[in-house]
Amino acid sequence: MSDAVDFFISKFRKNIQKQEKWGRCYRPRPYRNAVVRFRNCSIDDFEERRDILINEAGLNAFLFRADKIPGCDLLSDSGTTTMTMEQWASLFMGDEAYGSNEGYFELKRQVEETFGPGWGDVDTSVGGASDSLFIFHQGRAAENAFFSVLSRKLREEGSSYPPEISNKLGPELKNRIKSKITTLSERFGSLREPICIIPSNSFFDTTQGNIEDKRMIPVNLPCREHLDNREDFPFRGNMDIEELEKLLSCERERIPLVYLTITNNTGGGQPVSLENIKKIRELTRKFAVPFFFDACRFAENAWFIQRGEKEYSGKSIKWIVHEMFRYVDGFHISLKKDGLVNMGGALVIRKEGDFKRRFPDFSCDLIDHQIMTEGHPTYGGLSGRDLMAVSRGLETITRQDYLDARIGQVEKFGEKLVEGGIPIIRPTGGHAVYIDMDRFFDGEKNKADFMGISFTALLLIGGHRVCELGTYAFGSYNGKREIPPDPRINYVRAAVPRLAYEDQDLFSVVEAIKVLADHREMIPGVNVEYGREMSLRHFKSRFSFLPLAKGAKSRKNKVLR
Ligand code: F0G
C-alpha cells in the first residue's frame, strides 16, 4: 500500500518537473484568482472596435478605450498588476498622517530587506525622513527629479569640457553622439554647456526623454550579442563593455554617471548578467564615475541570473538581488513593475556611495525638489496606504514560485508565437514578448510606413492591445526627413501584466497574430495625420490607413522565418 503511494508520489513529482518545449506547463500557478472582473464587451464586436479605433483613437493604441478590449491588454506591464490579498488588506492599515506616516517606516524596513543592507536607511528612522530613500508617484517623476537636480548641479559646477567630442572614440560612436547633439540643438535652439553624456545598455523612452529635456545626451550601448540577434545568448540586456571603456577613457569628464536598465526594456526585456554588472562596476571605479540602475524589473533580472549564470544557480532570488545592488551607488525604480503595485516610484541613493561623494548636498536639493513637486519625503506622491501596498509587493516579488510562474508564462507565450512562425526576440525576456516588425514584414521594404503601427491597430480590432516600440516610438522627424532609431529597433511589444492573465488568454493573442501573419500582404501602411514632428510622439499622434498597394492580395503565408 505505502509502496503504491510512494510510487505515485514519485510519478506526480516527475510529471510537474517535466521541462517540455515551453517551461513548466504541468505545474499549477502558485496562486489562484481571488477576485475577477467581467468585461462589458465581447470578442465578436469587431465593427465597434474598428469605429472606435478609426474615429476616436486615430489608430493610436494609447487612445483606445480599455473597457472595449475583450482580449488581452498587453499595452504595458506597468501599473497593471493584480494586487495580492495581502496588499489589498494592507491598504486598510494605511496611516494618512501628513508627516512621517507609519507606512514610510515600514517601507524603509522592506526596502532594506529586499535590496540589501544600507538601502532603506533605517537607522535614521528615529530622526524622521531619510536622505537616501525618496518616494515619488511613479518612475518618471523620480527620473525627472533626479535629472533636474543633476543638471543643475553640473551647471553650477561650471566644468569646462573640450567643445569637440574626442576623435579617439572612433567614427561610429562619435557620429552617433554628434547626431544626437545636432537633433537636440535643433529641438532646443541651442544646447547649454556643458554637454554631458549618460551611457546605458538602453534607456527607456521616459528616461531618455527626461535626460534630453535637461539637455544631456543619452547614449545606448547594447551588447554586440544583442545587435547580432544572438538567440542563444542568455544576457542580451548586457552593456557593451568595450564601447563603455572607450567612452569613459575618451570622455570621462562629460559623464556624470553610468546606467544599467534591468531588465533592458527597450532591448527586448532582456536581462543583464551579474558578470556584466561587476565589470561595469570595475570600470566605473577605475574612472571614478558613479553607477546607477534603472531597477524597474530587478526581481525578474535576478531570476535570469539564477537560471543563466552557473555560480548563482544555487542562490536564492533575495540573495542575488542583494548581490546585484551591492555594486551600484543608487537606483530609481518604477514600483508599478516589480513593486507589484498600480502606482509608485522611488529614487534611492547609497549613503556611502560614489554618487554621494561626488555630489555631497544632492539629497538636500532633491528633498526641496520633492517637496515642491510631490510632497514631503515621508510620503512622496503617494498616500500612506499606497506605501503599505508597496511594502507587501516588494516582499512578494522575490518569491521563487511567483517568478517561476511569471517568467514561465512569458516564455510559453513566446514559444507559442515561434511555433506559429512569428519572429520574436529570443530568448524571450522577463515581462514581454517583442515581435520583430522588420522580419515580420520581410525586411526593409515597408519601413517608411510604420508597419508596427498598422499591426497594432489591426490587432486591436482583433480584440487585443499591444504597443509599437520601434521606428515610430523611437524615431524622430526633423521636418524634412525621418531619423530612425540608432541602433535600429523596430518591435511591437506584448507586455504581460503581472498576476492578471491565464495562459489561455495569451494563446488567444497568438491566434489573432497568426491571422495577421497569414495575410500580411493585406496589411496597409499608415499615414501620420498628426504629431509626427513632436517629441514622445507615439503617445500623441494620430494615423490613418493608407490604401492597399495595387494588386495586393492575400497569399496566406504560413512561415515567416
Ligand atoms: N524605466 C523603465 C525601464 C520603464 O520600463 C519605465 C516604464 C519607466 C522607467 C518609467 O516608469 O511608468 O512608473 O513612470 N515603463 C512602462 C512600460 C511605461 O510600458 O514599459 P513609470
Side-chain angles (χ1 to χ4, degrees):
M1 161 82 166
S2 87
D3 282 356
V5 172
D6 287 347
F7 171 83
F8 279 106
I9 287 176
S10 107
K11 290 291 168 202
F12 285 137
R13 180 160 289 122
K14 265 213 180 101
N15 183 49
I16 57 165
Q17 285 171 343
K18 260 188 211 165
Q19 289 275 358
E20 303 248 311
K21 246 192 331 199
W22 57 76
R24 296 173 172 181
C25 273
Y26 302 92
R27 187 178 276 271
R29 297 176 299 162
Y31 51 86
R32 65 175 178 80
N33 302 350
V35 176
V36 294
R37 175 166 192 164
F38 274 83
R39 306 178 191 280
N40 70 357
C41 59
S42 152
I43 194 76
D44 300 304
D45 303 335
F46 298 105
E47 287 77 11
E48 185 186 16
R49 286 193 293 279
R50 175 199 61 198
D51 294 346
I52 296 172
L53 183 71
I54 292 174
N55 302 327
E56 280 182 22
L59 307 195
N60 185 329
F62 286 94
L63 305 179
F64 190 92
R65 34 189 307 181
D67 63 332
K68 293 295 178 191
I69 298 170
C72 289
D73 189 352
L74 309 181
L75 186 64
S76 179
D77 65 316
S78 177
T80 51
T81 187
T82 302
M83 288 208 297
T84 63
M85 284 171 91
E86 285 78 8
Q87 286 177 296
W88 282 110
S90 75
L91 293 175
F92 280 101
M93 302 306 287
D95 167 15
E96 303 306 332
Y98 189 69
S100 299
N101 73 88
E102 198 183 319
Y104 173 70
F105 299 100
E106 170 53 19
L107 180 61
K108 285 211 291 186
R109 191 202 57 72
Q110 188 59 50
V111 164
E112 184 103 353
E113 170 100 21
T114 302
F115 298 102
W119 286 113
D121 203 3
V122 279
D123 43 347
T124 64
S125 57
V126 182
S130 82
D131 66 351
S132 297
L133 170 65
F134 303 88
I135 304 161
F136 292 88
H137 74 276
Q138 65 179 92
R140 67 199 68 187
E143 294 163 9
N144 184 278
F146 185 60
F147 293 115
S148 297
V149 177
L150 180 64
S151 66
R152 202 169 67 229
K153 291 260 158 240
L154 291 167
R155 253 181 288 129
E156 281 166 11
E157 269 184 0
S159 322
S160 54
Y161 311 137
E164 270 301 305
I165 302 292
S166 167
N167 277 330
K168 289 194 209 134
L169 277 182
E172 199 276 329
L173 192 50
K174 178 175 174 172
N175 288 340
R176 196 133 64 81
I177 294 171
K178 291 211 62 140
S179 103
K180 269 254 173 242
I181 295 175
T182 312
T183 314
L184 282 191
S185 308
E186 280 169 9
R187 172 142 39 112
F188 294 115
S190 75
L191 281 190
R192 276 181 258 139
E193 293 293 333
I195 294 171
C196 288
I197 296 171
I198 306 188
S200 163
N201 48 349
S202 287
F203 287 107
F204 184 64
D205 56 8
T206 59
T207 327
Q208 174 163 332
N210 269 307
I211 292 172
E212 289 178 353
D213 189 55
K214 300 294 168 280
R215 277 68 161 169
M216 297 191 274
I217 311 292
V219 176
N220 292 342
L221 302 174
C223 65
R224 217 35 286 150
E225 291 86 350
H226 182 62
L227 296 175
D228 293 344
N229 197 22
R230 280 264 309 275
E231 299 193 341
D232 60 334
F233 189 65
F235 292 103
R236 289 179 57 171
N238 283 354
M239 190 188 254
D240 188 324
I241 298 289
E242 276 176 31
E243 292 282 277
L244 177 65
E245 184 158 21
K246 215 182 338 167
L247 197 57
L248 283 168
S249 54
C250 300
E251 293 289 351
R252 183 226 162 284
E253 295 85 358
R254 283 186 215 279
I255 302 178
L257 76 165
V258 170
Y259 255 91
L260 263 183
T261 309
I262 55 168
T263 55
N264 186 356
N265 188 4
T266 305
Q270 299 288 321
V272 178
S273 68
L274 249 173
E275 188 192 2
N276 198 250
I277 292 171
K278 286 187 191 176
K279 279 192 183 148
I280 294 168
R281 178 72 283 183
E282 269 169 37
L283 275 180
T284 51
R285 274 274 144 76
K286 180 172 155 198
F287 290 95
V289 174
F291 175 25
F292 267 56
F293 283 152
D294 176 343
C296 292
R297 299 172 180 89
F298 69 95
E300 290 169 8
N301 200 92
W303 186 93
F304 281 107
I305 288 172
Q306 188 190 52
R307 185 172 74 170
E309 287 182 282
K310 266 204 196 86
E311 59 267 54
Y312 306 112
S313 64
K315 302 287 187 194
S316 69
I317 295 292
K318 230 175 177 176
W319 187 94
I320 295 170
V321 170
H322 287 198
E323 181 67 8
M324 285 157 60
F325 282 78
R326 232 161 47 81
Y327 298 100
V328 285
D329 300 304
F331 63 94
H332 53 69
I333 178 167
S334 164
L335 296 163
K336 299 168 73 172
K337 286 83 170 170
D338 276 357
L340 220 53
V341 287
N342 304 121
M343 197 47 81
L347 168 63
V348 195
I349 300 175
R350 186 190 284 290
K351 242 187 157 55
E352 309 295 332
D354 290 353
F355 188 81
K356 269 257 160 81
R357 273 191 284 279
R358 167 105 159 77
F359 302 102
D361 52 355
F362 194 92
S363 293
C364 199
D365 288 15
L366 195 65
I367 291 174
D368 288 353
H369 186 100
Q370 201 185 21
I371 290 173
M372 282 186 294
T373 56
E374 294 274 302
H376 188 260
T378 55
Y379 65 87
L382 298 175
S383 54
R385 70 179 77 93
D386 293 332
L387 299 180
M388 292 294 198
V390 170
S391 294
R392 296 288 67 76
L394 286 176
E395 189 179 34
T396 304
I397 200 74
T398 53
R399 282 179 67 133
Q400 184 76 47
D401 56 359
Y402 159 75
L403 286 166
D404 286 347
R406 156 79 178 155
I407 301 177
Q409 182 180 54
V410 174
E411 203 169 51
K412 268 178 264 176
F413 179 31
E415 290 307 322
K416 275 272 184 200
L417 283 164
V418 171
E419 239 187 23
I422 312 298
I424 62 166
I425 297 190
R426 296 177 82 189
T428 43
H431 69 291
V433 171
Y434 291 66
I435 303 168
D436 186 329
M437 287 293 106
D438 284 345
R439 280 193 285 150
F440 188 94
F441 287 107
D442 254 348
E444 306 286 289
K445 69 176 191 281
N446 286 310
K447 84 178 172 199
D449 293 331
F450 307 121
M451 296 305 284
I453 300 286
S454 313
F455 177 102
T456 305
L458 285 171
L459 192 62
L460 253 175
I461 296 174
H464 309 282
R465 175 154 68 173
V466 293
C467 181
E468 196 264 2
L469 286 180
T471 51
Y472 201 75
F474 294 115
S476 58
Y477 184 66
N478 67 6
K480 293 188 202 101
R481 65 183 180 89
E482 247 330 280
I483 301 155
D486 183 14
R488 181 180 172 84
I489 39 177
N490 198 15
Y491 305 126
V492 158
R493 184 187 73 172
V496 183
R498 293 166 182 78
L499 302 171
Y501 292 113
E502 296 179 20
D503 295 349
Q504 174 193 345
D505 303 318
L506 295 172
F507 294 167
S508 80
V509 180
V510 175
E511 295 301 320
I513 290 176
K514 274 160 62 181
V515 171
L516 292 179
D518 282 347
H519 307 286
R520 69 185 193 278
E521 291 86 357
M522 296 293 290
I523 301 179
V526 291
N527 184 43
V528 187
E529 298 286 338
Y530 168 76
R532 185 172 190 168
E533 68 298 339
M534 289 179 160
S535 56
L536 299 172
R537 59 186 184 171
H538 54 303
F539 295 111
K540 305 178 268 194
S541 291
R542 287 173 174 275
F543 311 88
S544 61
F545 283 121
L546 289 167
L548 266 181
K550 262 204 193 116
K553 60 174 190 287
S554 172
R555 283 192 277 123
K556 195 161 196 304
N557 303 279
K558 277 246 180 292
V559 177
L560 299 168
R561 317 194 71 221

